[in-house]
Amino acid sequence: MCGIIGVTGRSGVSRLLIDGLRSLEYRGYDSAGIAVQTEDGLTVLRRAGKLAELDAVVSELEPFGTVGIGHTRWATHGAPTERNAHPVVDGPERVAVIHNGIIENHEVLREELVATGVEFRSDTDTEILAHLVSRELAGGASLGQAVRTTAQRLEGSYAFAAISADHPGVLAVVRCQSPLILGVGDEASYLASDIPALLPHTKRVMSLDDGDVAVLTPGTITVTDVDGVEVERDVRTINWDPVQVQKGGYRHFMMKEIEEQPSAVSATIAQCLSEDAEHIRIPALDALGPRLETIKRITFVACGTSWHAGLAAKFYVENLCGIPVDVDYASEFRYRQMQAGPDHLIVPITQSGETLDTLTAVRQAKAAGSPIIAVVNVAESSADREADASVLTVAGPEIGVASTKAFTTQLVALYMLALDLASRRGALTREQLDERVQPLRRLRFAMEGALRHKEHVRRIAYHFSQARDFLFLGRGVNYPIALEGALKLKEISYIHAEGYPAGEMKHGPIALIDANMPVVVIATPGRVYDKVLANIQEVRSRDGQVIAVCAEGDERVRSQADHVLEVPVVDEDISGLVNVIPLQLLSYYIAERRGCDIDQPRNLAKSVTVE
Ligand code: M6R
């Protein structure tokens, strides 16, 4: 949601800003703009709609300067129009501001400014920032001081950056509970809401704590903390490769990311093994120390796809460790009478590490004394920094809005977390734990095998591309996979789809089934295989069309289903990682056939950083 970029110290800055915004497009937006400090003051260009609209005007005017800020806006306050696009400016147009987040007390501040004669030209909560910074500058403050004083008046979550026509070469930014990362260059400095925008320029990044203000000039970054005291913040080198954020010959990031899953899952497995790669070892569990023994309950909190991974984790932990598990939508958890405390482990699961609902749930649980272990893909993200310890998934940057490789890496990390937990608590012997390593090593080949059926999945997808509704059924560890299959389809193809536990079908959804209803059933070997076959019969008896995900060569399923999506067989516990692949492909090809915008589906943002 909203992408932010800022650069100081590079010539041709307007082109860099456009390229930076393009690499943040995946976050979701509906208008875009840049502001460049030029010889004549500030040049601000904004357009509603896609970046191409802004790019066209920037290419024509090419404002020249070495300092600038850019923004992609996902509308919250005010319609997605040019008038409400960022950067927003103060009255004399000497200050330009970009902002991610929500200023909750903006109405009060707006009234106060209006009472002093300020005229507003947008409907955004952001505009107050430009006027407040401008007022501070007029009183003699430096840009950094002006941003700090403004931030002290704000309630809500935000990251905002400002430039001023009267402060050449300077960018100032403050962060409070919204994503922001700084890029450290030799002769230039950068800010962005996510790493992909920085990767072409530098791999050295700095994270800010909440309340920090950073002042960037070419090649220097000065940080002051919430009390205004100058502080050092760590600079770390990120190991993501710039090619990972390029399409590399694929039409869509989503397909590239689907195909990257075997290697991403292998890398995540390697991360959860001991140095000799023989034993499962999750160092994050060490962080719990003696508290590990006292954990009586675990709650996984997450949103969307990550919540589906949490459901699978419930299956793993309850089966392997015998600890009671809840799985909660973060947006629900945070508003309930929360069950948290020192003997209640909270595990946030988040690809981005910046989903606001998940972060708020973490903060509340932490305040109640719960230990926190995050399962997160982005190192140094807020979730990683705020947890007691993290299990890092190694999906690399995920750009497609529809999560794919982040999900499968979460599944495997959660499975390995459950195994190590079971062993540490005596529910599994060391030998039993080690026996699980080989099947995990073979997993990548099974995932590659599932991908080899791509062409067949495409044919089935094209056959069903005009369906109006879909039902996805699964049981046990494959119930979350059914939910995920349904979510993928609705996200990128806009076809209504529901996921259900297959055994629950008789209690309602069966009423929907007729000859026009494709039903995807996950029917791979496992404890509930025969039960699922019975469910297939129930669908067939009502003329529903069954598309079954089944083991390669499974004649029983083949004889009962209308269509099959075959996959290699793996242990049931890890079968979700393989079974989800044909479902991801099915959604992809249906969306492609329907001409949908696969990587940036309408209304969706990759990283949901507001409530
Ligand atoms: O970054 P997170 O894992 O916290 O994001 C959670 C959800 O917003 C995300 O999984 C969303 O549901 C995806 N669009 C799913 O494809």
Side-chain angles (χ1 to χ4, degrees), residues 1-4 27-28 30 71-77 86 99-104 125-126 155-159 176-179 193 303 330-331 334-335 352-361 363 382 603-611:
M1 250 164 200
C2 297
I4 284 182
R27 295 176 67 83
D30 31 44
H71 190 268
T72 45
R73 172 174 185 256
W74 191 88
T76 55
H77 295 69
H86 299 200
H99 161 226
N100 182 4
I102 291 180
I103 309 298
E104 286 168 4
D125 54 339
T126 304
E155 290 166 18
S157 59
Y158 51 83
C176 180
Q177 300 187 359
S178 269
S193 41
C303 305
S331 54
R334 58 181 288 195
Y335 286 113
S352 60
E354 301 293 353
T355 301
L356 187 62
D357 281 324
T358 307
L359 292 175
T360 309
R363 288 169 191 149
S382 301
N603 305 335
L604 288 177
K606 178 74 181 161
S607 183
V608 183
T609 52
V610 297
E611 253 196 84

Side-chain angles (χ1 to χ4, degrees), residues 236-276:
R236 71 188 171 90
T237 303
I238 40 178
N239 58 9
W240 285 2
D241 193 323
V243 297
Q244 288 180 296
V245 292
Q246 290 158 12
K247 279 194 194 145
Y250 286 85
R251 271 186 72 199
H252 302 104
F253 278 108
M254 183 178 175
M255 182 54 85
K256 176 172 179 260
E257 290 162 2
I258 289 173
E259 295 204 350
E260 282 172 352
Q261 289 181 107
S263 60
V265 164
S266 292
T268 304
I269 293 170
Q271 169 104 338
C272 300
L273 292 177
S274 56
E275 263 178 37
D276 62 6

Side-chain angles (χ1 to χ4, degrees), residues 1-6 17-35 45-52 54-55 69-76 80 84-87 97-101 126 193-194 197 600 605 607 609:
M1 250 164 200
C2 297
I4 284 182
I5 173 105
L17 293 173
I18 292 291
D19 292 345
L21 291 179
R22 187 158 290 120
S23 66
L24 296 172
E25 270 192 300
Y26 68 92
R27 295 176 67 83
Y29 71 102
D30 31 44
S31 62
I34 63 165
L45 300 170
R46 297 181 300 216
R47 286 294 179 271
K50 287 290 180 188
L51 205 51
L54 179 69
D55 195 354
I69 51 180
H71 190 268
T72 45
R73 172 174 185 256
W74 191 88
T76 55
N84 290 328
H86 299 200
V97 169
I98 50 175
H99 161 226
N100 182 4
T126 304
S193 41
D194 209 349
Q600 292 165 39
S607 183
T609 52

